[in-house]
Amino acid sequence: MFSRIMMPVDLAHIGTLKKALKCAADLSRLYGAPVTYAGVTTALPSKLAHTPEEFARLLAGFAEEQGKAEGIETGFHSILSHDPTIDLDPALIRAAGEIEADLIVMASHLPNPMDYVWPSNGGTIAMHSRASVFVVRT
């Protein structure tokens, strides 16, 4: 049913993604579909990485660890953005097209009042992506 899965990850908040990571791995095994972990970074230094290249190495290492731990085929897709807070959703939608993902598995937070003002990332991506979107409540 699915041939390529993309999972957006925030390497600074991996602990909050455990349920979604498990879901992506389970679906990968079920359909024999590789999981590509996508991460968005900026050219500016951050607590996580000083350069986009360092971020890509961290993301690649994370993907490799997930593959070994879950026994699945994995890859990574590092996305450079001038402002990830504004460009996150469009960047992830473009990435899904670039890697030809037909399923996006992503974590979501519990709804809160601000969701009535700003749409959720999962909702926006589901509305605009050609891929199916599985939003896992964390």
Side-chain angles (χ1 to χ4, degrees):
M1 179 169 215
F2 298 109
S3 61
R4 182 167 302 278
I5 300 168
M6 182 180 93
M7 174 149 185
V9 294
D10 181 345
L11 294 176
H13 297 98
I14 292 301
T16 64
L17 303 176
K18 290 187 186 291
K19 192 174 175 183
L21 289 167
K22 179 72 172 135
C23 182
D26 289 348
L27 288 167
S28 173
R29 280 190 293 278
L30 178 64
Y31 294 110
V35 177
T36 301
Y37 299 97
V40 180
T41 190
T42 180
L44 300 174
S46 69
K47 291 183 215 175
L48 193 61
H50 296 92
T51 65
E53 295 78 20
E54 183 181 2
F55 178 83
R57 284 192 302 275
L58 291 171
L59 188 58
F62 174 78
E64 185 177 343
E65 288 172 11
Q66 287 296 304
K68 287 178 183 175
E70 295 291 344
I72 59 173
E73 182 183 344
T74 61
F76 74 97
H77 190 79
S78 182
I79 306 159
L80 182 61
S81 169
H82 295 291
D83 187 351
T85 57
I86 294 173
D87 193 38
L88 182 65
D89 295 338
L92 292 173
I93 292 166
R94 279 191 307 276
E98 290 167 4
I99 66 171
E100 299 179 348
D102 52 5
L103 176 63
I104 301 169
V105 176
M106 58 189 304
S108 179
H109 61 279
L110 291 173
N112 64 56
M114 291 311 293
D115 291 328
Y116 293 103
V117 178
W118 288 288
S120 68
N121 298 103
T124 300
I125 291 172
M127 283 184 3
H128 299 286
S129 175
R130 292 182 183 212
S132 296
V133 179
F134 190 135
V135 180
V136 180
R137 185 82 66 205
T138 57

